[in-house]
Amino acid sequence: MVEPGAFDRIAQDRIVPVVIPGEPIQMEGLVEALFLGGLGTIEITLRSETAIDAISIAAKQNNLIVGAGTVLSVEQAENAVGAGARFLVSPGFDPAVVGWAKRNDVPIIPGIATVSEAMRAIGSGLHFVKLFPAEQLGGAKTVQAMGAVLPDLKIMPTGGVTLKNLTDYLSVPAVGAVGGTWIAPADDIVNGHFAKITERAKAAVALSLSL
Ligand code: 3PG
């Protein structure tokens, strides 16, 4: 069987749990909880000291597509991919990080907040961007308006996405996927509250499949 690429799996799931690992890292339990909930990708943000170790552990779990989030520099991109990350997400558009990812054939989803930034991403040969911070920028209506003028672009709204507004976002044709910490908040991971994580993942998947 050919292993699916990162973008294929993200497009299939349409929901990317964004996680901030703490201590203890608890990756095996978290990944199991997400699988039970029907999700097979994870974005581990480089905002904690345990992030690179968490990526290494997650990358060893079968059938999981693990990515690194909050990638702000080429050095971070190199470290994350060295640890096993198969895609990169950044809150903004840094030409050096995007250039490195493209040269190394690593899928990257850079952050954008305006149509001009989205056009810069398209000009760099990218077709998938993260709208960040989505809710603060106007939510699903903003994604709808951007998608209408940029028909070849897929958008991953992140920032303020929850079960309450998930339908609004996923109903927008330009939305390839959404990202967010609501499924697996840092406290639940550290405290091993995996049943709650599975429950939230299941609720999100059910909503997505109902559209
Ligand atoms: C991110 O790291 O992409 C965002 O901080 C996630 O935003 P959220 O916590 O509002 O989901």
Side-chain angles (χ1 to χ4, degrees), residues 52-131:
I52 292 293
D53 286 345
I55 290 172
S56 299
I57 299 166
K60 293 191 184 90
Q61 312 298 308
N62 284 338
N63 302 319
L64 178 76
I65 304 261
V66 54
T70 324
V71 178
L72 303 178
S73 68
V74 169
E75 192 188 351
Q76 284 184 320
E78 284 170 343
N79 289 341
V81 171
R86 290 176 53 192
F87 67 97
L88 302 173
V89 183
S90 180
F93 184 95
D94 180 334
V97 174
V98 169
W100 182 89
K102 285 190 70 78
R103 281 195 304 282
N104 289 281
D105 261 335
V106 180
I108 181 159
I109 308 173
I112 59 105
T114 65
V115 171
S116 295
E117 289 166 10
M119 287 170 67
R120 201 184 319 157
I122 294 168
S124 303
L126 301 178
H127 301 283
F128 201 5
V129 296
K130 156 175 168 162
L131 179 72

Side-chain angles (χ1 to χ4, degrees), residues 18 43 45 47 70 130 132 158-161 179-182:
V18 176
E43 176 191 327
T45 65
R47 297 204 289 266
T70 324
K130 156 175 168 162
F132 180 78
T158 309
V161 180
T181 57
W182 93 95

Side-chain angles (χ1 to χ4, degrees), residues 19-30 44 48-55 57-58 189-190 194:
V19 310
I20 302 163
E23 190 78 67
I25 294 179
Q26 307 267 41
M27 269 309 123
E28 289 95 345
L30 172 61
I44 299 176
S48 81
E49 302 216 329
T50 50
I52 292 293
D53 286 345
I55 290 172
I57 299 166
I189 300 171
V190 167
F194 300 126

